[in-house]
Amino acid sequence: QVQLQESGPGLVKSSETLALSCTVSGGSIKSHYWSWIRQPPGKGLEWIGYFHYSGSTKYNPSLQSRVTISGDTSKNQFSLRLNSVTAADTAVYYCARHFGLYAYYYGLDVWGQGTAVTVSS
Amino acid sequence: DIVLTQSPGTLSLSPGERATLSCRASQSLSNNYLAWYQQKPGQAPRLLTYDASTRATGIPDRFSGSASGTNFTLTISRLEPEDFAVYYCQQFDNSPFTFGGGTKVEIK
């Protein structure tokens, strides 16, 4: 059974870089697309972007200038970097797997538990 | 960006009743690549349906999705106590893969 676990600092200073990792266990990151999603406190979900081990990435244009998603097949991990953070980036950050082999359009079927990140001034 | 508008914002129903949740897309989803999720407090979302109407693995058959043009519907035929939660739709036809604002199904 595939499981995802986010890790990274829970507190980031304003203007600095938020860096999170997602470790995949029970499966390989080579077989699916992988996404990051965030949810500000008390609000809805926002898709940040996806990664495929082939090197393919796609980002939400609202964040594109500040975000990088990459992967490390040797560690079976993928990571999120978000530069120049502000209080508006305070949220629970989730990593998730796209359902379906080699496809990204069937929905997100496996999610990490989420990690709360607060941006402080 | 494709905007997904969910309605109503809150649905107050009793266990055993039927719930009908709406998700309207601002433009046509040519492939009907739309998914529905359930989220409970403090938990990650759970995939319910994809391709507008295909139930995900392990999802009870009281959950069903349908599509008509730019209108998508999630129906819960008979609400169980564990179904009271927030529901989101998400489209995968075009990047960015936008979510709707959510519908909260609460106990009346």
Side-chain angles (χ1 to χ4, degrees):
Chain A
Q1 182 179 351
V2 175
Q3 293 185 312
L4 308 182
Q5 178 66 59
E6 303 92 349
S7 58
L11 188 63
V12 180
K13 292 184 178 179
S14 184
S15 80
E16 296 190 343
T17 296
L18 179 160
L20 299 174
S21 294
C22 181
T23 300
V24 179
S25 58
S28 171
I29 67 167
K30 292 184 177 181
S31 58
H32 292 264
Y33 284 75
W34 307 87
S35 270
W36 285 97
I37 303 97
R38 69 181 184 179
Q39 186 170 35
K43 295 188 177 181
L45 301 161
E46 180 181 31
W47 177 76
I48 298 171
Y50 76 52
F51 158 83
H52 187 262
Y53 89 99
S54 64
S56 173
T57 56
K58 195 171 284 285
Y59 303 129
N60 192 322
S62 67
L63 299 168
Q64 185 153 4
S65 63
R66 298 193 292 132
V67 68
T68 303
I69 300 176
S70 59
D72 185 335
T73 54
S74 66
K75 295 181 179 179
N76 220 32
Q77 288 180 341
F78 62 106
S79 300
L80 169 70
R81 291 180 62 86
L82 184 64
N83 301 327
S84 305
V85 297
T86 69
D89 296 310
T90 294
V92 174
Y93 285 76
Y94 296 99
C95 57
R97 185 184 80 170
H98 288 250
F99 175 65
L101 289 176
Y102 315 115
Y104 56 78
Y105 36 77
Y106 290 130
L108 302 167
D109 70 328
V110 181
W111 294 65
Q113 65 186 20
T115 187
V117 178
T118 300
V119 177
S120 67
S121 55
Chain B
D1 297 5
I2 295 177
V3 176
L4 299 179
T5 302
Q6 289 190 242
S7 61
T10 302
L11 201 49
S12 299
L13 295 168
S14 301
E17 289 193 294
R18 181 184 187 92
T20 303
L21 287 66
S22 173
C23 174
R24 187 177 74 251
S26 60
Q27 62 191 73
S28 174
L29 304 187
S30 55
N31 298 298
N32 275 355
Y33 289 149
L34 186 120
W36 286 94
Y37 303 89
Q38 176 194 70
Q39 187 179 33
K40 297 180 180 180
Q43 296 184 16
R46 173 194 181 197
L47 179 65
L48 299 175
T49 67
Y50 60 93
D51 279 357
S53 61
T54 304
R55 267 188 304 275
T57 303
I59 301 303
D61 61 7
R62 65 180 181 273
F63 291 92
S64 63
S66 63
S68 177
T70 58
N71 294 303
F72 298 83
T73 301
L74 178 72
T75 301
I76 310 171
S77 59
R78 287 182 312 278
L79 283 164
E80 297 288 341
E82 61 268 27
D83 298 337
F84 292 92
V86 179
Y87 292 82
Y88 293 95
C89 55
Q90 182 187 21
Q91 64 82 22
F92 292 87
D93 255 59
N94 284 302
S95 179
F97 302 146
T98 46
F99 287 90
T103 290
K104 181 179 182 180
V105 179
E106 64 175 23
I107 299 177
K108 186 175 182 180

